[in-house]
Amino acid sequence: MNPTIDLLRNHRSIRKYKEVALSEEHIEAIITSAQMASTSSNVQAYSIIGVTDPELKRELAQLSGNQAYIEQCGLFLVICADLHKLKEATEHHEQTFHQNTESFIVGTVDAALAAQNAAIAAESLGYGICYIGGIRNKPQEVCEVLALPELVYPVFGMCVGVPDQEPSYRPRLPLQAVYHSNTYQADKVAEGVQQYDEAMYEYYKERTGGKTLTTWSKGIADKYAKPGRAHILPFLEARGFQLK
C-alpha cells in the first residue's frame, strides 16, 4: 500500500540479536522520533533510559526473568512514566503538585506512545525490537539499578538491535474482533475470537511441529486464571503515585 504501512504490517518481535552496537546517530534518531509522539497537553510525562553497559544489561536481564536477548541486543531501552519532572516544574513556580489516577494514566500512555514511535523508527533503520514486560517483575530493584527518583516507574523495556533470526509472522485477531463501527458489537467479537482460535491452533501446531495444540482463548484463560504481578499496586504507592 505504502512503505510506512508495509513496515508496520511486517513487525515481528525479535528475540535473538547480533552483538552489534548502535551508532550514536541511530540512537539519537530513534529517541528524537519517540519525542515526536503525541503527548497529553504537551506534558511529555515519560523518560527513556538507554542501557548499553554489559553489566547493567545483565542485571536487568536477570530482573526481567532471565531473558537473554536483553544482554544480546545493542541497546536496551527502559521506558518510564515520569511525573517527577512535572512535580519539579510545578514546584519551580512555588505551586503544589496535585496528582491522581488520571495523571498516572497520562504518564503511562505518554510512555507507550513514545515507545511505539521509537519502535517504528528503529525498524525503519533495519533493527529489530522486542518489548519486555518482564521489567515489571521486580520493579523496585529496577528502580534501584537505574537510580529512578520518586514518581518515576518502569512501564516496560525494549530490546533494539540487529536481528539474528527470521521468525514467522504471528496472526492477529480478525478485524471484526477489534474494530467496531459506531457501537460495540459483542456478537461479532465472539465470532472473531472463534475464527482466531482456529487460526492460532494451526499456527501453534505448525510452529511447534505438533507439540503444542492449543488456542488463543485457552491461553488467555490460563493467563488470567490468577492475578498477574499483584505487587504492582503497593510498588506504585511506595513510589509516591496516588491512585485515587
Side-chain angles (χ1 to χ4, degrees), residues 175-195:
L175 193 63
Q176 72 187 71
V178 176
Y179 177 72
H180 304 265
S181 180
N182 297 311
T183 59
Y184 194 100
Q185 299 165 54
D187 55 338
K188 289 189 176 182
V189 172
E191 293 172 5
V193 168
Q194 184 176 351
Q195 293 174 19

Side-chain angles (χ1 to χ4, degrees), residues 207-224:
R207 183 181 180 183
T208 64
K211 294 180 180 178
T212 299
L213 302 174
T214 190
T215 64
W216 178 79
S217 63
K218 181 61 168 68
I220 295 299
D222 291 344
K223 179 178 177 62
Y224 290 99

Side-chain angles (χ1 to χ4, degrees), residues 9 35 39-40 52 66 71 73 80-81 90 106 109 112 117 129 136 142 182 188 203 210 216 218 220 240:
R9 289 180 172 177
Q35 287 187 271
T39 169
S40 179
T52 56
N66 297 311
E71 295 185 60
C73 67
C80 304
T90 302
V106 165
V109 171
N117 261 30
I129 70 102
R136 300 189 302 277
V142 170
N182 297 311
K188 289 189 176 182
Y203 169 80
W216 178 79
K218 181 61 168 68
I220 295 299

Side-chain angles (χ1 to χ4, degrees), residues 114-146:
Q116 189 62 9
N117 261 30
I120 295 165
E123 290 181 335
S124 76
L125 292 169
Y127 297 110
I129 70 102
C130 183
Y131 282 97
I132 306 295
I135 205 76
R136 300 189 302 277
N137 287 354
K138 296 184 177 180
Q140 181 55 40
E141 290 87 339
V142 170
C143 289
E144 292 168 3
V145 167
L146 299 178

